[in-house]
Amino acid sequence: MELGRVSFFQTNKTTPAPILSPSKVPFLGSNARKSRVICSKANQMTVSITGATGFIGRRLVQKLISDDHKVHVLTRSKSQARVVFPEQKYSGILIAEVGEWEKCIRGSTAVVNLAGLSISTRWSPEVKREIKQSRINATSKVVDCINKAPGDLRPSVLVSATAVGYYGTSETHSFDETSPSGKDYLSEVCREWEAKAREVNSDVRLVLIRIGVVLGKDGGALAKMIPLFMMFAGGPLGSGQQWFSWIHIDDLVNLIYESLVNPSYKGVINGTAPHPIKLSEMCDQLGQVTGRPSWLPVPEFALKAVLGEGASVVLDGQRVLPVRAQELGFSFKYPSVKDALSAIIKEK
């Protein structure tokens, strides 16, 4: 699971205008260039991205490149980034290490901040500190670079990831963008993460996307669950009664894209599908689309043995609704988990 924020534009800058809502032009993988929206030079964006080599970042980069935008990959390791984005395939991408971030951000149209250590691991005290600091440090660096840029070279928008962990957990309550923060560890991480993003200059439009469980074949929770089901070992985690607030990777990428180009998108937006489900139903649907049984539950003690305190990420949950995205008219390609899982299983 991923831990996965109004509108002021410089008058002397070229502002990217939306040509067509990307929520209506879904990412099509290798066929994207055949049906993409072509951008004119006047509408071309330059987007600097942290966390670009991650599960979400890779798909976002592909979408931006397919729509003829320029991408700056902000990374801690050029060599590792080149493994993900080989030069022969991604010749138009500029890869920059930390010392070069400020130069890349200056003159960029927008910045997307996705960096952070994965939380799907055993939480030792050291790991918990790194989970928090990796997010706060990357966000602090990005905000500092944006704020130092002269007005005419400052990005117009910062889209910064945060997570539904902000709300805490509950089996009975629903949460939207106006709900208060929880009181557990992940809530604390998200509060501090968002607070750092809010330090960005007031003339920069800030979008904070509180991301739910991202479903896709190449990463996230689902990539770990599918092999278990294919080996006839899949089933509910814990009681199965915990809420599962999910979103298909393509819908999340389109939501981020829309946040870049549409000035109406500002403040907190929940990055979740409109129909959260119980985890038992999620596992049942996954069993159906894979043609495998999903009756064998994974007991709580087994998860705690593997993940320790980190097991709370899957043993607890929350029902999070994308109220703001729906108010803005965002169109989800995959509003139902059955359609989302069917599409993912069919991916090559």
Side-chain angles (χ1 to χ4, degrees):
M1 295 186 180
E2 303 292 333
L3 270 183
R5 242 162 15 138
V6 112
S7 171
F8 302 89
F9 288 89
Q10 300 291 331
T11 56
N12 57 345
K13 293 170 66 179
T14 299
T15 301
I19 298 176
L20 182 65
S21 168
S23 56
K24 297 178 175 58
V25 185
F27 179 73
L28 300 174
S30 60
N31 295 321
R33 286 192 170 272
K34 297 178 182 179
S35 57
R36 68 168 189 251
V37 178
I38 303 299
C39 284
S40 67
K41 288 293 183 182
N43 294 313
Q44 185 183 62
M45 294 186 292
T46 299
V47 184
S48 291
I49 306 174
T50 70
T53 60
F55 173 43
I56 300 167
R58 295 193 304 269
R59 292 291 279 260
L60 178 61
V61 168
Q62 291 167 359
K63 180 169 183 61
L64 288 166
I65 293 297
S66 73
D67 280 355
D68 290 332
H69 298 296
K70 295 181 179 179
V71 173
H72 294 169
V73 171
L74 308 183
T75 182
R76 290 181 297 177
S77 171
K78 282 187 179 180
S79 59
Q80 292 180 14
R82 274 296 173 207
V83 172
V84 178
F85 302 113
E87 194 165 4
Q88 61 270 28
K89 186 177 179 181
Y90 295 94
S91 58
I93 289 178
L94 175 63
I95 296 179
E97 290 185 324
V98 175
E100 304 166 303
W101 285 18
E102 185 173 345
K103 181 179 179 181
C104 283
I105 286 174
R106 288 190 177 207
S108 291
T109 311
V111 179
V112 178
N113 179 37
L114 300 171
L117 181 72
S118 172
I119 64 169
S120 297
T121 185
R122 173 175 281 275
W123 292 355
S124 66
E126 294 76 16
V127 168
K128 289 176 73 172
R129 282 194 295 271
E130 180 61 19
I131 285 172
K132 180 189 287 188
Q133 289 305 314
S134 65
R135 286 161 173 78
I136 293 174
N137 291 346
T139 305
S140 179
K141 176 69 174 177
V142 165
V143 168
D144 187 53
C145 290
I146 292 173
N147 290 348
K148 284 182 178 179
D152 60 336
L153 295 176
R154 187 174 296 141
S156 297
V157 56
L158 168 61
V159 178
S160 195
T162 172
V164 296
Y166 174 91
Y167 302 111
T169 62
S170 176
E171 289 189 2
T172 58
H173 292 92
S174 295
F175 302 96
D176 62 25
E177 289 85 352
T178 65
S179 299
S181 180
K183 298 180 180 179
D184 59 14
Y185 164 70
L186 291 182
S187 301
E188 176 186 316
V189 170
C190 291
R191 285 196 304 272
E192 295 187 29
W193 193 6
E194 293 185 15
K196 186 57 64 175
R198 293 182 193 275
E199 294 178 9
V200 75
N201 191 290
S202 62
D203 67 356
V204 176
R205 179 168 58 89
L206 176 62
V207 186
L208 296 170
I209 300 184
R210 291 179 182 155
I211 301 172
V213 183
V214 184
L215 302 184
K217 199 165 190 176
D218 301 325
L222 194 62
K224 298 177 181 179
M225 294 172 71
I226 290 176
L228 289 175
F229 276 80
M230 298 309 291
M231 293 187 295
F232 296 90
L237 306 179
S239 71
Q241 294 307 299
Q242 59 271 54
W243 283 102
F244 190 75
S245 295
W246 61 279
I247 187 169
H248 189 285
I249 180 68
D250 288 354
D251 278 333
L252 178 59
V253 167
N254 283 339
L255 184 63
I256 295 171
Y257 192 117
E258 190 78 17
S259 298
L260 293 173
V261 301
N262 190 332
S264 297
Y265 284 61
K266 51 191 175 184
V268 174
I269 300 175
N270 286 334
T272 58
H275 302 298
I277 58 174
K278 293 293 184 77
L279 192 55
S280 57
E281 182 183 349
M282 160 66 187
C283 292
D284 182 61
Q285 292 287 350
L286 183 56
Q288 289 186 38
V289 299
T290 58
R292 298 292 192 271
S294 58
W295 56 268
L296 183 63
V298 179
E300 289 190 17
F301 75 83
L303 284 170
K304 289 180 178 178
V306 175
L307 296 178
E309 190 180 356
S312 64
V313 174
V314 291
L315 293 176
D316 303 319
Q318 62 277 102
R319 186 174 186 266
V320 180
L321 303 173
V323 171
R324 185 64 184 134
Q326 292 180 305
E327 289 175 346
L328 288 163
F330 182 80
S331 177
F332 289 88
K333 183 181 179 186
Y334 299 104
S336 81
V337 74
K338 181 177 181 179
D339 290 342
L341 292 174
S342 295
I344 291 167
I345 293 300
K346 291 176 182 176
E347 285 183 25
K348 300 299 183 182

